[in-house]
Amino acid sequence: MHSVDLDISIDRLTKVEGSAALDVTVRGGKVEKAAFKITEYKRFFTQAMRGKPVIAVPQLLSRICGTCSNAHIIADIEACEHALGIGPTEQTRILRDLTMYGLNIRDHALHLYLFALPDIRGKDAFLDFDENDPVEHQMLHDGFAIKAAGNFLSELVAGRSVHAPHPTIGGFLHFPDEKGIGEAIAKLDAARPAVLRTIGVFKNAPFHFDRKTDFMALVPTDHYGFIEGCIMTGSGECITEDGYRDHLEHVVLPYSQASGYRYRGGSYMVGALARMNLAKNLLHAKTKESLGGTLDLFPSTDIFMSNLAQAIEILHCLDHALEILQTRTFAPEPVIQATPREAVGIGVVEAPRGTLYHKIHLGADGMVKDGEIIVPTGQNQINIEEDVAVLVNGLLPDTPKEKIHFEIEKLIRAYDPCMSCAAHFLKLRWS
Amino acid sequence: MGGEESLGSGAAGKLKIGWFSFSCCEDNTVIFTELMNDHWQEWKQLFDFRHARVLQSHNVLDELDIAFIEGAIASDDHAAKLKEIRERSRKLVAIGACAVVGMPAAQRNYFHEEQKQEIEFLIARFKALPRVLKVSDVVKVDAEVGGCPMDPKKFLEAVTSLVGEWKAASGNQKIVGK
């Protein structure tokens, strides 16, 4: 049993993207402070982009984060195009949608299978799963098959699943060929039963943590997607992409390499759960048909439902990608050229972990004067701290320290935080 | 360590592997987990992952057969950790551009004065090194796999070569140490 004063410190969280820690201070039996610290060393991309030619900037800023790189590329291309005063063709829009679909399938599957599922199965690592156990055997094969299908789609459309070389300002540099499209259709189609099993696993998962908070996401007008739309908060208002920054209050967290954000003085959450809460009606028709009553679980304020939301997003991405690949062809198009001008461009996309904002201030000489990047994990940082405090208060005083540690990591994993992005963001210390 | 050592001393004679990330975007970790899509069954037989925070919570830094290092070295803590890994590893492989050449994690090394002044308080607050270092600036490196992200084919070649070396050696049970 714990004394009423307790210091808990987790030096480095595992099964998350990048380096993060947490300090929890308990005084008089209550959590006095929970500090979620992103310990990735800053690499100063917002300084480094200054003076660079605009054409080079999306690839530079891709290096902020390996796992979310293709989302950074698409957000930055959008910001640069807005500054240059150009817009994408219909085919480019569709190829960008497919780029984001490949990213989300691969990235969500990595999180769900390698990071989240071991907690549910009571194992330390996905690779520890028992191939002789029929359930775990299926999970091993499902996880890698889904990841591989998303990876293949990314390679086909964007050239690579990490730091994709094909998307550029004004269009694409390479286009999917018929053979590749046929292979992608076969792989995605073959992975669909595995995705349905994934949804079943996370729908029936035994973990729950419910705390009322606000949600925010970029919500499109026509189909569930990650690039177009306005930013909804669930309160009825819809903020335009260029008005987004004006609504966020920057909060300096001196113990963290990342910045926190508040919206109207309060914490909020971005990511798959926010998107599902705000836009489930826009999911692909085939996805909705397969899900049946599962969608009635949303809206939800249970953070572990974010895992289910990710699994559903995999199915949507797969179904819409299949429809696109089966119904249209892609012809080479020239990249749209533009004459530089002094202007500010904003790009907002839904990265796998939530709303990602890029701002580019372009000079008339074609060089970037300044810029700003706001990443999902930075926005979730304060919400995570508030959740951890409520979680630990609920576990005190009788829960063993090791169990508290495990429960905290499990909760934070459900946020699927990305520290590489945020430190452009964590250590757990009990104090 | 020196003299004659046996390789592959992990559980069931597997190679003991460590995967470590320093200052970088962890793109190589993503490529590594993508290579697993096709190679996980083979790697499960060959490798005993002793230390890989992206894969597991229980990590042990004991004697490693191969340590894979991604990322550049941005603090004294990083340098001390890397030296400890080197001391405990028979082979150390630098993975990806940040580990091999330092960039782009080391881009602040090339900032002009005004940019340097802007970031100075953050370098001080988090006790970062004045200059970001590549891995070979700090320890001896046995093999390198460059690229941003790493080239998956080159990575597989490096792994095949190291495993081949281990298999040849384990035929004799002993090889001359690192």
Side-chain angles (χ1 to χ4, degrees), chain A residues 79-263:
Chain A
C80 293
E81 288 181 349
H82 287 160
L84 288 162
I86 58 174
T89 64
E90 190 226 357
Q91 177 172 286
T92 294
R93 280 179 202 276
I94 291 167
L95 289 171
R96 287 178 187 169
D97 271 345
L98 289 173
T99 300
M100 295 301 278
Y101 288 162
L103 166 64
N104 277 278
I105 294 169
R106 174 193 65 73
D107 196 52
H108 285 348
L110 174 74
H111 171 248
L112 292 176
Y113 278 91
L114 271 74
F115 299 171
L117 197 53
D119 290 340
I120 293 173
R121 297 296 303 175
K123 297 270 169 92
D124 187 33
F126 187 46
L127 285 180
D128 293 345
F129 281 26
D130 182 357
E131 275 190 86
N132 298 316
D133 173 304
V135 173
E136 294 193 353
H137 174 92
Q138 187 73 59
M139 288 171 166
L140 279 162
H141 287 264
D142 284 355
F144 287 115
I146 299 168
K147 252 159 50 62
N151 193 45
F152 188 86
L153 179 62
S154 296
E155 287 176 358
L156 174 74
V157 176
R160 204 159 52 198
S161 63
V162 175
H163 308 321
H166 296 165
T168 191
I169 296 169
F172 273 73
L173 300 169
H174 192 274
F175 303 88
D177 57 26
E178 213 169 299
K179 180 170 171 286
I181 289 173
E183 272 183 67
I185 290 171
K187 284 178 196 292
L188 290 166
D189 216 22
R192 197 173 194 274
V195 180
L196 293 173
R197 284 190 288 272
T198 310
I199 290 169
V201 167
F202 285 94
K203 182 183 176 185
N204 298 316
F207 307 141
H208 300 281
F209 179 82
D210 214 324
R211 182 179 72 87
K212 191 180 178 328
T213 189
D214 290 322
F215 295 93
M216 214 185 282
L218 182 68
V219 177
T221 48
D222 51 358
H223 65 276
Y224 194 102
F226 302 89
I227 303 176
E228 310 283 340
C230 59
I231 294 115
M232 289 186 67
T233 62
S235 62
E237 66 181 330
C238 210
I239 306 162
T240 60
E241 287 195 358
D242 10 355
Y244 184 49
R245 181 67 183 87
D246 298 338
H247 289 75
L248 302 185
E249 174 197 344
H250 180 230
V251 182
V252 174
L253 306 171
Y255 46 83
S256 178
Q257 299 261 10
S259 297
Y261 292 88
R262 290 183 185 279
Y263 170 69

Side-chain angles (χ1 to χ4, degrees), chain A residues 14-15 43 63 66 124 147, chain B residues 25 33 53 57 107 148:
Chain A
T14 57
K15 289 177 274 178
R43 288 166 289 133
R63 270 67 188 178
D124 187 33
K147 252 159 50 62
Chain B
C25 75
T33 57
R53 289 185 188 276
S57 294
Q107 57 194 352
C148 185

Side-chain angles (χ1 to χ4, degrees), chain A residues 12-19 38-45 47-50 52 60 62-67 106 110 114-115 118 124-131 137 140-141 143-145 147-149 151 160-163 252-257 409 413 420 427, chain B residues 20-38 40-41 43-45 49 52-59 74-78 98 104-108 111-112 114-116 118-120 122-123 125-129 132 147-150 152:
Chain A
R12 186 158 174 175
L13 296 174
T14 57
K15 289 177 274 178
V16 291
E17 305 283 352
S19 175
I38 291 160
T39 55
E40 291 273 345
Y41 278 82
K42 282 181 180 287
R43 288 166 289 133
F44 302 106
F45 280 94
Q47 278 82 15
M49 74 167 87
R50 290 188 209 148
K52 297 274 194 307
L60 172 70
S62 165
R63 270 67 188 178
I64 287 172
C65 174
T67 193
R106 174 193 65 73
L110 174 74
L114 271 74
F115 299 171
D124 187 33
F126 187 46
L127 285 180
D128 293 345
F129 281 26
D130 182 357
E131 275 190 86
H137 174 92
L140 279 162
H141 287 264
F144 287 115
K147 252 159 50 62
N151 193 45
R160 204 159 52 198
S161 63
V162 175
H163 308 321
V252 174
L253 306 171
Y255 46 83
S256 178
Q257 299 261 10
E409 283 214 54
R413 253 176 235 130
S420 304
K427 260 182 163 175
Chain B
F20 302 90
S21 301
F22 291 93
S23 184
C24 64
C25 75
E26 303 199 5
D27 51 357
N28 310 293
T29 299
V30 178
I31 298 289
F32 174 67
T33 57
E34 288 312 313
L35 284 169
M36 264 185 196
N37 297 338
D38 294 324
W40 65 273
Q41 285 163 303
W43 290 358
K44 242 182 123 164
Q45 301 300 320
F49 289 100
R53 289 185 188 276
V54 72
L55 297 179
Q56 60 204 24
S57 294
H58 182 66
N59 291 291
S75 69
D76 284 331
D77 286 351
H78 278 177
C98 289
Q107 57 194 352
R108 67 176 165 88
F111 280 4
H112 55 64
E114 189 191 337
Q115 285 171 310
K116 281 185 177 158
E118 272 178 19
I119 67 168
E120 205 173 70
L122 288 167
I123 302 290
R125 182 190 291 170
F126 295 104
K127 299 184 179 66
L129 287 170
V132 180
C148 185
M150 70 171 179

Side-chain angles (χ1 to χ4, degrees), chain A residues 329-364:
Chain A
T329 54
F330 297 93
E333 280 184 346
V335 170
I336 298 171
Q337 303 293 332
T339 307
R341 59 176 187 174
E342 172 131 11
V344 171
I346 308 282
V348 181
V349 303
E350 281 294 318
R353 291 157 187 80
T355 317
L356 169 66
Y357 166 101
H358 277 227
K359 179 170 98 177
I360 296 288
H361 181 177
L362 177 66

